[in-house]
Amino acid sequence: MKKIYFFAGAFLLSSQIDAQVGIGLNNAAAQKALHVSGASTSTNIPGTGVNVVTPTVRIEGLNNTNQSITERLRPVSATSTGDLVLASLPVIPLVMIDAISPGNAETDYIANAAPVISIQTIVGSNNYPLRSFSFVLAHPSIVKFGAVTSFEFTTPVTLLPIVDNSSRIWGTKFRFTTAPAGISTAANAYFGESLQGYTNVVNNASTVGPYYSNSEDSLYLPAGSYTVEVSAYIDTQTSATPIRVANGLGSDTMSIVAYPAQ
């Protein structure tokens, strides 16, 4: 009994001094506050296709029962060195503009009262920015971008439907104007392009819109500060009637959501 008592006392004294506990280690000083050493093994449970992997580490305080109901659940991840960490939130909304998400300061990313209007009178492809959004990534993340943008096509002056039977290409796309080193901010570095054809006469009937372009893309991005620009695009032919393009007369939504990868 004396030996057991002495060992327990030495253990407590060591814990109080170093605040570290080592299991399966030859040296007394653990590398972490709790360090478990041992090679992992995997044993099959016959007939189940399930393996039991050892060693198993259980931290009784690290569970959803003891977590405050006011906090969001977070996954526990293992680093490459074997450290258990409480991971970042699995989904982080960075920008969310729509009519149904609670707490939105905006419901339409292009205000209906002041739509963006571009009168295209030249030939060829034309990009024009609609709006930019800035955000910060605290961790490397997979980031999903999504924009639904309304278009209306009319003649520039009379605002009447165009009936010249000319086909046009139109849509939306994204590009970065600010990004960490290694991420292109070139004027032509577009991603998430959603382009489609537009013919203004079908069965001798014409229409002006609104039409909708839905641009989406997902990128793996490092931590840092970003500004993404949403641009509209129109391509007309040499013989085509000049066209007035109005964006924002419908319901326009924008979302940027991050899925932390580390």
Side-chain angles (χ1 to χ4, degrees), residues 77-97:
S77 300
T79 68
S80 59
T81 58
D83 296 332
L84 293 180
V85 296
L86 194 62
S88 302
L89 292 177
V91 179
I92 302 176
L94 302 171
V95 173
M96 192 65 64
I97 299 177

Side-chain angles (χ1 to χ4, degrees), residues 153-163 198 206-208 242-244:
F153 306 101
T154 61
T155 55
V157 179
T158 61
L159 306 186
L160 296 174
I162 298 174
V163 289
Y198 164 65
S206 62
T207 185
V208 296
I243 187 171
R244 172 184 178 271

Side-chain angles (χ1 to χ4, degrees), residues 45-230:
I45 302 175
T48 66
V50 176
N51 285 9
V52 175
V53 179
T54 60
T56 298
V57 178
R58 175 174 294 170
I59 303 175
E60 293 192 1
L62 191 62
N63 56 53
N64 57 9
T65 301
N66 293 337
Q67 189 175 29
S68 169
I69 60 174
T70 61
E71 297 180 13
R72 295 185 179 182
L73 297 181
R74 298 189 181 188
V76 176
S77 300
T79 68
S80 59
T81 58
D83 296 332
L84 293 180
V85 296
L86 194 62
S88 302
L89 292 177
V91 179
I92 302 176
L94 302 171
V95 173
M96 192 65 64
I97 299 177
D98 58 41
I100 63 173
S101 295
N104 278 357
E106 296 181 89
T107 59
D108 198 319
Y109 93 87
I110 303 176
N112 289 333
V116 177
I117 296 177
S118 175
I119 299 176
Q120 304 293 342
T121 59
I122 59 177
V123 178
S125 60
N126 304 272
N127 294 291
Y128 54 98
L130 298 175
R131 184 172 170 182
S132 294
F133 300 89
S134 296
F135 60 93
V136 177
L137 293 178
H139 311 276
S141 304
I142 297 173
V143 183
K144 183 175 181 180
F145 300 85
V148 176
T149 307
S150 60
F151 283 73
E152 183 180 87
F153 306 101
T154 61
T155 55
V157 179
T158 61
L159 306 186
L160 296 174
I162 298 174
V163 289
D164 62 356
N165 289 290
S166 177
S167 296
R168 294 171 174 84
I169 300 175
W170 62 282
T172 49
K173 53 182 74 172
F174 306 117
R175 63 176 287 261
F176 290 116
T177 57
T178 302
I183 305 298
S184 179
T185 57
N188 62 347
Y190 289 105
F191 64 97
E193 296 186 6
S194 176
L195 305 179
Q196 49 203 311
Y198 164 65
T199 301
N200 48 53
V201 177
V202 178
N203 296 329
N204 296 321
S206 62
T207 185
V208 296
Y211 298 91
Y212 286 92
S213 173
N214 183 14
S215 288
E216 291 185 336
D217 205 350
S218 296
L219 301 177
Y220 177 81
L221 298 174
S225 298
Y226 295 82
T227 300
V228 65
E229 178 184 272
V230 186

